Every structure is written in structure tokens, then in C-alpha cells.
Amino acid sequence: MRKDKKHHEHSPKDTVDHLLLVFVILTFISGIVLDHAAESCMPSNYSFWLCTHIAIASVFTLLSLIHFKHHWGWFRTLPHKLKARKKDSLFLLLALIILLISGVCVTICKTHLSGFTHAITGFLCLIISIYHFYVRHVKGKRNRSLH
């Protein structure tokens, strides 16, 4: 039985999607370490992890923008998506917007509420991102190979 080569080749879109998964996890981990450094009152560690978290989150944001460009057709049909049964992409988009805004608020306001919102939204983004990746790349590939 001969396997189709298309199943083993990765497109640039797949590469971006895989990198997004890596960077959402790295951003989450660096955020947890940053929070721990803030609570331990170690200014040198805090500064390092703040810069690390911002750098990783910036790469994640850049990859997200590239991902959005790849899927611009989805955005054009967004009003129709609101009626769709599966809404994981919509929830992820909303969570990413809240995460970005709360991250800016943490940097500017430095309140407990903005930090808490950013942390909770970051956790939700991680969970929804993993689910979104699974549905699109793991489960979706199995379904396509059956046809």
C-alpha cells in the first residue's frame, strides 16, 4: 500500500501552526515563571523573565498575525461563523484579543485585576489553542486520511 506524499509534506501554514503551538506553550511557561519571580521579590530575576516573556509573546503575536493572514477568508466570513456550531476559533480569537489587551494593561497599570485577568486568559488561550491545534492538525488529518 503506497502512501501519498502530501501527508508527509508540510506547508508554510503547517509550519506556522506548529510554531504557534510551541510559542503558546513557551509564553505560558515564561508567564508562570515571571509570576513566581515577581512573588519572590527578586528584581534581577523579575527583569530577566519580564524581558523573556515579552520577547516570546512578541514572537507568538507575530506568528498569530501570519496565521491570521493565512486564514483571511475565515475573517471575511466571520458573520456567518457566529451561526456555526463549532466556535473554538471564535473563542480563541476573543481570548487572544482579551489576552493582548490585558497584557498591555498589566504593563501600564500594574494592578492585581489586570494581572489576574491576563493570567486566567493566558490559561484559557493555552487550553483553547491546544484543542484548536488538535482538531485541525491531529484529528483533522485522521479524518482526511479515511477518505
Side-chain angles (χ1 to χ4, degrees):
M1 189 171 186
R2 192 172 158 205
K3 290 186 178 182
D4 189 5
K5 286 185 179 182
K6 288 183 182 180
H7 292 296
H8 297 289
E9 294 176 8
H10 288 284
S11 70
K13 288 180 181 180
D14 286 339
T15 303
V16 169
D17 292 352
H18 286 82
L19 285 172
L20 269 170
L21 181 64
V22 169
F23 274 87
V24 75
I25 293 168
L26 289 175
T27 304
F28 183 74
I29 291 170
S30 68
I32 289 173
V33 174
L34 174 63
D35 185 55
H36 179 70
E39 288 178 3
S40 66
C41 299
M42 299 175 73
S44 61
N45 282 347
Y46 177 78
S47 297
F48 171 78
W49 283 107
L50 178 63
C51 290
T52 302
H53 183 65
I54 290 172
I56 293 170
S58 297
V59 173
F60 174 74
T61 302
L62 178 64
L63 288 168
S64 294
L65 292 173
I66 293 168
H67 181 77
F68 295 159
K69 185 176 184 269
H70 286 163
H71 297 288
W72 188 246
W74 183 87
F75 286 97
R76 284 194 319 240
T77 61
L78 194 56
H80 301 292
K81 304 292 185 216
L82 296 172
K83 299 174 189 172
R85 224 180 39 191
K86 292 183 181 178
K87 292 187 171 50
D88 63 302
S89 297
L90 286 172
F91 289 132
L92 182 56
L93 178 62
L94 181 62
L96 285 171
I97 291 168
I98 294 169
L99 184 66
L100 184 61
I101 292 169
S102 65
V104 170
C105 288
V106 167
T107 307
I108 294 170
C109 306
K110 297 181 181 167
T111 65
H112 291 292
L113 180 61
S114 61
F116 180 75
T117 303
H118 190 65
I120 294 300
T121 311
F123 180 72
L124 286 173
C125 278
L126 176 70
I127 299 303
I128 298 169
S129 294
I130 291 171
Y131 174 77
H132 183 75
F133 184 86
Y134 172 78
V135 168
R136 300 299 187 274
H137 291 278
V138 178
K139 186 178 177 185
K141 281 189 177 182
R142 269 192 253 144
N143 290 341
R144 280 181 270 170
S145 65
L146 294 175
H147 293 105

